[in-house]
């Protein structure tokens, strides 16, 4: 089977010890030319971040959150919740017809310190070019050893929108 590591992760999974790994390969997608790698506190994305032409989501600045949160102790009243829902709906409708996509908007290299920013909101590649370089080298190491995918085409008979009352289900006889 080639060069496959066999690091026992059970003590880490069971919460008895830290992980024996120093890195985690999240993904290598050879079809869409993107990849992600986690090394220690760092997570790196390389290439377009996603698939499909979905629109760029509305930003945090789209909404007037201060007006919505009238009272910190009691929280927003029903009218302000409805108002925010209407603002969200309006913003989503405007973005749905946008020609920009999330993949177009995102930088092709993204670095996050997931120990301090688990939601991956602060992109740090410009501030840590040496870490980006090191992680890109590790990604190349993994990409050079990746097995060529043998994905099969889509079977139109598997579409739950047309068949099976909208439910994902096995559609072929099994052995």
């Amino acid at each position: 089977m080639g060069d496959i590591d066999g690091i026992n992760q059970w003590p880490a999974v069971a919460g008895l010890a830290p992980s024996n790994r120093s890195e985690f390969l999240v993904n290598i997608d050879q079809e869409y030319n993107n990849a992600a790698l986690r090394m220690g506190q760092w997570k790196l994305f390389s290439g377009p971040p996603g698939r499909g032409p979905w629109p760029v989501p509305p930003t945090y600045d789209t909404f007037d959150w201060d007006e919505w949160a009238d009272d910190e102790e009691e929280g927003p009243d029903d009218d302000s919740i409805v108002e925010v829902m209407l603002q969200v709906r309006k913003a989503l409708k405007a973005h749905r017809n946008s020609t920009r996509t999330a993949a177009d908007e995102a930088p092709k290299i993204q670095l996050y310190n997931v120990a301090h920013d688990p939601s991956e909101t602060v992109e740090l590649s410009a501030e840590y070019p040496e870490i980006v370089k090191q992680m890109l080298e590790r990604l190349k190491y993994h990409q050079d050893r990746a097995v060529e995918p043998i994905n099969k085409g889509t079977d139109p008979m598997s579409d739950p929108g047309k068949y099976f009352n909208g439910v994902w289900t096995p559609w072929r006889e099994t052995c």
Side-chain angles (χ1 to χ4, degrees), residues 75 79 107 125 138 142 152:
D79 290 339
S125 62
R138 285 302 293 168
H142 291 295
K152 296 185 178 186

Side-chain angles (χ1 to χ4, degrees), residues 86-150:
L86 291 172
Q87 288 180 30
V88 169
R89 182 176 177 193
K90 181 180 177 183
L92 288 173
K93 188 174 184 180
H95 286 289
R96 189 175 300 129
N97 297 322
S98 172
T99 58
R100 296 178 346 199
T101 67
D104 293 334
E105 296 290 313
K108 300 306 178 209
I109 298 291
Q110 300 173 57
L111 179 70
Y112 299 96
N113 182 333
V114 292
H116 295 112
D117 178 21
S119 297
E120 300 173 7
T121 59
V122 180
E123 202 283 311
L124 299 168
S125 62
E127 286 120 55
Y128 297 95
E130 68 285 350
I131 292 172
V132 169
K133 182 181 176 194
Q134 177 187 10
M135 293 183 76
L136 285 172
E137 288 171 0
R138 285 302 293 168
L139 267 177
K140 180 164 179 13
Y141 169 85
H142 291 295
Q143 288 168 327
D144 289 348
R145 286 154 183 78
V147 176
E148 190 70 29
I150 54 171

Side-chain angles (χ1 to χ4, degrees), residues 15-90:
L16 303 172
S19 174
N20 292 321
R21 293 193 180 275
S22 59
E23 68 182 39
F24 176 78
L25 180 62
V26 177
N27 185 41
I28 294 177
D29 189 324
Q30 295 169 334
E31 182 178 352
Y32 290 95
N33 198 27
N34 61 25
L37 177 70
R38 167 90 190 257
M39 288 177 61
Q41 67 191 26
W42 301 103
K43 185 173 181 185
L44 179 89
F45 292 97
S46 172
R51 303 177 186 175
W54 56 85
V56 177
T59 64
Y60 180 84
D61 297 333
T62 304
F63 311 108
D64 187 353
W65 297 106
D66 292 331
E67 181 181 319
W68 180 60
D70 320 286
D71 185 348
E72 291 181 11
E73 291 181 14
E74 294 183 23
D77 60 27
D78 290 344
D79 290 339
S80 61
I81 290 172
V82 169
E83 179 60 32
V84 167
M85 290 172 66
L86 291 172
Q87 288 180 30
V88 169
R89 182 176 177 193
K90 181 180 177 183

